[in-house]
Amino acid sequence: MEFRYQCSECGSFYDLDPALTTCPLCSRKQKKDEPLRGVLEVRAEGELPEGEDLVQSLLPVPPEFFPPLPRVKGELWAPGRIREELGLKELYIMNDGCNPTGSFKDRASLLVSAFAKQHGIDTIVLASTGNAGSSMAGIGAAAGQKVVLFLPETAPPAKLIQALQYGATLYKVAGNYDMAYDLSLDYSEREGGMNRNTAWNPMTMEGKKTVSLDIYRQLGGKAPDRVFVPTGDGCILGGVYKGFKDLLHFGLIEKMPRITAVQAEGSNALYRAWKTGSFDFQPSTTVADSISVDIPRNGYTALKYLQDYGGDVVCVSDDQIIEAQAKLSSGAGLFTEPAGAAGWAGLLKCAGEIEENECAVVLATGSGLKDTATALKGVSMPEKTISNIEEIRG
Ligand SMILES: *Cc1c(COP(=O)(O)O)cnc(C)c1O
């Protein structure tokens, strides 16, 4: 197999090179406050080797460079009680809360870590709403790489603490994720290291594609009919499409599933662009911190995929997210963080239009333990304490 970069806008090909981030031609069109121009995708060419691990064969870095950690596979859940309640017999949840650091971001971090190792780069720099940072910190720790993080000061404490536990250098940014994104680019430009910012580093979308390969494998070698994806920057969305596109390219599936991006009402730049055809700027606010972004960095790529393959975008309110989170916990035993539950809220919104036997997969992208303060909004904590059983009866 041969791997090259291809620009998602102009189609130019480039050799894989850690110094290359976005397409040198298209990035000249970059304007302030708009998604990244010239996002590069990895193209796999040649014959799929037989008898080898499917996921590893489709990844552009050989296995010996990966950190000594279990390879992420996610877990496909078949939520029996919820299936019955909704009348959806082939409903699944892809749980990525079980990954080494508890979120979907491990899929990207593993590949970025391996790519850096392959090229002898020992420092990785990034901005994050929280999960990408704590993920890279943990995976960098396993690999023996130095990780420098830029996180908004408002990130849920568990994510900051997790990153510090792993030994990352943490800069708390006096502003939002978008500000952290720019600061981290500035830092890596001056200080060096590999920048792992989402979409900026082509290995992020490429690593995230493994979720589609894992869904394909865990469904016994088929693609689902529909996939629901919580969406902020649109890098997971792009990765989901990329994985199925690879499977199509190598003749393993016949059609692209219908993919639905789910956004929070208060952070729905991709939704607006999907409606109008162009990106505008609006400050975002939502309880689902992991999908709270003003400028969806992978916006152009994500929008193009949605248009090319007939995908769609739905929005859910914060209340619907909080409700969906509690419902998933109590109905399926899966405690996912608010952004993780956004996909679930999207499914609930669309449940009426899904046929009984259609196979639908909802991505649950992070463990609920990462943000308990928001989860508390969906339940009620007992007010008083007790010291004997009589008090319960009385
Ligand atoms: C990052 C993240 C998302 C959204 O991914 P994007 O690539 O930003 O669209 C969703 N859920 C969780 C838990 C995340 O950490």
Side-chain angles (χ1 to χ4, degrees), residues 360-375:
V361 178
V362 184
L363 303 192
T365 41
S367 161
L369 295 173
K370 286 196 168 245
D371 177 10
T372 51
T374 304

Side-chain angles (χ1 to χ4, degrees), residues 96 102-105 128-132 159 177 196 198-199 208 229-239 262-263 270 288-293 296-298 302 336-343 363-367 370:
D96 264 68
S103 86
F104 188 101
K105 298 297 194 289
S128 162
T129 57
N131 280 336
K159 297 181 183 180
Y177 165 61
R196 180 222 179 272
T198 203
K208 289 175 181 184
V229 185
T231 300
D233 274 315
C235 192
I236 296 184
L237 186 74
V262 185
Q263 294 215 284
L270 184 63
D289 65 291
S290 301
I291 50 173
S292 185
V293 307
R297 301 293 165 154
N298 204 35
T336 184
E337 67 161 88
L363 303 192
T365 41
S367 161
K370 286 196 168 245

Side-chain angles (χ1 to χ4, degrees), residues 30 35 45 76 79 92 112 123 205 239 244 264 283 291-292 329-330 390:
Q30 185 71 49
E45 288 154 346
L76 204 57
Y92 293 92
V112 170
T123 301
M205 193 167 28
F244 288 119
I291 50 173
S292 185
S329 297
S330 64
E390 296 310 316

Side-chain angles (χ1 to χ4, degrees), residues 1 4 9 19 24 42 44-45 58 81 88 95 111 123 157 160 172 208 253 258 279 281 317 358 368 384:
M1 294 279 271
R4 286 191 294 166
E9 288 191 55
V42 177
E45 288 154 346
L58 287 171
R81 286 178 52 220
L88 299 175
N95 173 31
L111 185 61
T123 301
L160 298 173
K172 282 205 287 185
K208 289 175 181 184
I253 58 171
R258 177 166 157 205
F279 284 92
F281 179 86
S317 67
E358 263 189 309
K384 58 174 199 167

